[in-house]
């Protein structure tokens, strides 16, 4: 029996000819990532080892993104702790306010991730980089500490489920709708410790932004990783962003999948995940009349330039509904700058939205848009657990940037198609 794409990367990094599901391996890391919440714990553990340097100062990334610009004294102390460590260890990829962005948007943009890499991050959405044909997964802070010290990590080789994509998405449908559709189908624990391997002729119809969004939310189905085959779009993206050489791994013809799902992209409608789990999905025509208080467009899931463009296409020449606080957060400084050059920020501000510096902010209920009791938000983020964005009795509805923007205009969860024919 052959190997899946994930298994091939893991075998390569472990220096083995072959691996099988459930095998324990020790593999070499291409990058170890931490943020302002998880890195302090990892650094504390690293310090206990008494080492005076990390395994490779080019292969550790520390991104101050969650509670920055510092929301309170604790956040400020945590960032200072990481900053001092980064300076002491000569960490090349330390990103502080002014350079930082939401980590999973930042690393691909900075060219720190290429196909064939093995990456761990003390953050569950590290699985994002599967979009580039890399194996990447979230780990705990102690694993990050060991990774920073040794450049290696233990893994249990995952089994895999294949998602064969066909067709092309309709207007106002994007990667977010695809992954919400899939999570609605398999459930939040449907892929527990498995690889979600995407394949099929429909892959070429997905932009890199769509793929990054889909891989980002693999963890919301419980998956170890979510990985896309490397094609021309991947190679072009990597060539533009990185001077590193990608290594292409392909699944064997006879690779073993526990299950194969066929997904026709043309049949997917705009999809919304209702509180309080990403699996509680409804298509936009099943949503009903749900009034909202806030809209957030941003995060590692949907804070890229393509997401800003999607939101701007809806908001151009329109106003957000009275009483709907609309918060737009470009995920990185480059996305912020590109949005500015394209006139998108002006569109947002004219519509009555605010534009924030890059930060995770409201995504995890940190700052920049906390919900009060009973309030409802439509967010392009990836989690809608109880209290995720504020009060335990608030509600978060997950959706694409197009649906979020249309909802901001109409003051209720709405389809972008509802704006057709209305002035814009
Ligand atoms: Fe985590 Fe949200 Fe930040 Fe992404 S944007 S890294 S999900 S807190």
């Amino acid at each position: 029996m052959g190997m899946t794409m994930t298994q091939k990367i893991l075998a390569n990094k472990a220096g083995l000819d072959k691996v099988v599901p459930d095998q324990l391996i020790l593999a070499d890391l291409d990058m170890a990532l931490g943020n302002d919440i998880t890195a302090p714990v990892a650094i504390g553990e690293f310090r206990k080892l008494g080492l005076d340097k990390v395994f490779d100062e080019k292969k550790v990334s520390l991104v101050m993104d969650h509670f920055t610009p510092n929301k309170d004294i604790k956040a400020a102390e945590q960032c200072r702790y990481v900053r001092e460590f980064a300076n002491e260890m000569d960490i090349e990829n330390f990103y502080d306010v002014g350079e930082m962005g939401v980590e999973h948007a930042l690393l691909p943009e900075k060219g720190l991730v290429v196909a064939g890499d093995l990456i761990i991050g003390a953050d569950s959405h590290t699985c994002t980089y599967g979009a580039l044909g890399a194996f990447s997964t979230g780990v705990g802070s102690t694993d990050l500490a060991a990774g920073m010290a040794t450049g290696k990590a233990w893994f249990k080789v995952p089994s895999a489920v294949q998602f064969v994509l066909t067709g092309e998405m309709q207007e106002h449908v994007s990667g977010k709708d695809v992954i919400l559709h899939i999570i609605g189908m398999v459930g939040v624990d449907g892929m527990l410790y498995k690889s979600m391997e995407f394949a099929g002729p429909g892959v070429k119809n997905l932009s890199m932004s769509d793929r990054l969004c889909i891989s980002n939310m693999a963890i919301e189905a419980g998956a170890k990783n979510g990985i896309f085959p490397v094609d021309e779009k991947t190679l072009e993206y990597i060539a533009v962003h990185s001077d590193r050489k990608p290594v292409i791994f392909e699944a064997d013809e006879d690779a073993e999948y526990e299950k194969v799902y066929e997904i026709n992209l043309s049949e997917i409608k705009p999809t919304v995940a209702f509180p309080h789990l990403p699996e509680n999905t409804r298509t936009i025509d099943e949503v009903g009349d749900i009034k909202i208080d806030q809209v957030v467009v941003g995060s590692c899931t949907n804070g890229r330039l393509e997401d800003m463009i999607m939101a701007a296409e809806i908001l151009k020449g329109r106003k957000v509904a009275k009483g709907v606080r609309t918060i737009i957060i470009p995920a990185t400084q480059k996305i912020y700058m590109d949005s500015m050059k394209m006139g998108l920020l002006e569109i947002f501000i004219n519509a009555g939205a605010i534009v924030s510096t890059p930060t995770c902010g409201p995504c995890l209920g940190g700052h920049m848009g906390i919900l009060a009791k009973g309030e409802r938000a439509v967010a392009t983020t990836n989690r809608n657990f109880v209290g995720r964005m504020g009060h335990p009795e608030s509600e978060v509805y997950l959706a694409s940037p197009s649906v979020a923007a249309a909802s901001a205009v109409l003051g209720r969860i709405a389809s972008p198609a509802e704006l057709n024919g209305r002035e814009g």
Side-chain angles (χ1 to χ4, degrees), residues 219-276:
I219 183 64
E220 305 311 330
K224 185 74 176 165
N225 68 319
I227 195 164
F228 276 86
V230 176
D231 64 7
E232 278 174 26
K233 280 187 188 168
T234 329
L235 294 175
E236 194 185 319
Y237 181 95
I238 292 170
V240 167
H241 292 89
S242 185
D243 50 14
R244 291 183 50 221
K245 207 170 147 10
V247 182
I248 301 173
F249 291 91
E250 288 176 349
D252 288 324
E253 293 266 312
D254 59 346
E256 189 177 9
Y257 300 100
E258 284 188 3
K259 196 163 180 172
V260 177
Y261 289 95
E262 285 208 15
I263 312 265
N264 185 342
L265 298 174
S266 69
E267 291 173 0
I268 294 177
K269 297 178 182 173
T271 301
V272 178
F274 275 47
H276 292 285

Side-chain angles (χ1 to χ4, degrees), residues 66 102-104 123 125 299-300 360 363-364 382 388:
H66 278 59
V102 180
E103 54 201 301
H104 309 307
D123 188 278
H125 296 97
S299 83
C300 57
C360 295
C363 172
L364 76 162
N382 48 40
R388 173 75 176 178

Side-chain angles (χ1 to χ4, degrees), residues 63-80:
V63 186
M64 306 297 93
D65 57 356
H66 278 59
F67 293 158
T68 50
N70 301 139
K71 79 179 178 86
D72 55 23
I73 293 168
K74 187 171 177 210
E77 295 293 347
Q78 284 190 299
C79 284
R80 185 176 63 180

Side-chain angles (χ1 to χ4, degrees), residues 312-328:
E313 277 170 0
I314 303 283
L315 292 175
K316 188 169 184 185
R318 298 191 167 103
K319 291 277 181 200
V320 303
K322 198 165 167 46
V324 179
R325 309 176 304 261
T326 304
I327 302 163
I328 315 262

Side-chain angles (χ1 to χ4, degrees), residues 142-217:
T142 39
D143 286 320
L144 174 61
M148 290 196 299
T150 65
K152 293 180 187 293
W154 285 99
F155 296 94
K156 187 172 83 168
V157 176
S159 59
V161 171
Q162 192 182 44
F163 292 82
V164 179
L165 309 180
T166 61
E168 205 164 338
M169 294 183 294
Q170 296 177 39
E171 194 188 8
H172 299 313
V173 175
S174 62
K176 183 60 162 288
D177 303 293
V178 175
I179 190 63
L180 288 177
H181 170 80
I182 290 174
I183 296 167
M185 198 171 72
V186 303
V188 291
D189 55 0
M191 295 291 115
L192 230 45
Y193 212 91
K194 300 182 200 311
S195 299
M196 295 172 76
E197 299 223 346
F198 298 94
V203 168
K204 68 175 183 310
N205 300 325
L206 296 173
S207 67
M208 287 313 294
S209 182
D210 288 321
R211 299 179 202 183
L212 287 158
C213 174
I214 292 169
S215 290
N216 173 274
M217 286 192 72

Side-chain angles (χ1 to χ4, degrees), residues 308-366:
M308 299 296 121
I309 293 170
M310 259 190 267
E313 277 170 0
I314 303 283
L315 292 175
K316 188 169 184 185
R318 298 191 167 103
K319 291 277 181 200
V320 303
K322 198 165 167 46
V324 179
R325 309 176 304 261
T326 304
I327 302 163
I328 315 262
I329 311 177
T332 68
Q333 289 285 75
K334 181 174 187 325
I335 297 166
Y336 195 108
M337 182 78 94
D338 289 345
S339 299
M340 186 166 69
K341 286 182 187 157
M342 290 176 72
L344 309 185
L345 305 191
E346 204 174 333
I347 291 171
F348 297 145
I349 292 166
N350 284 338
I354 64 144
V355 184
S356 159
T357 183
T359 181
C360 295
C363 172
L364 76 162

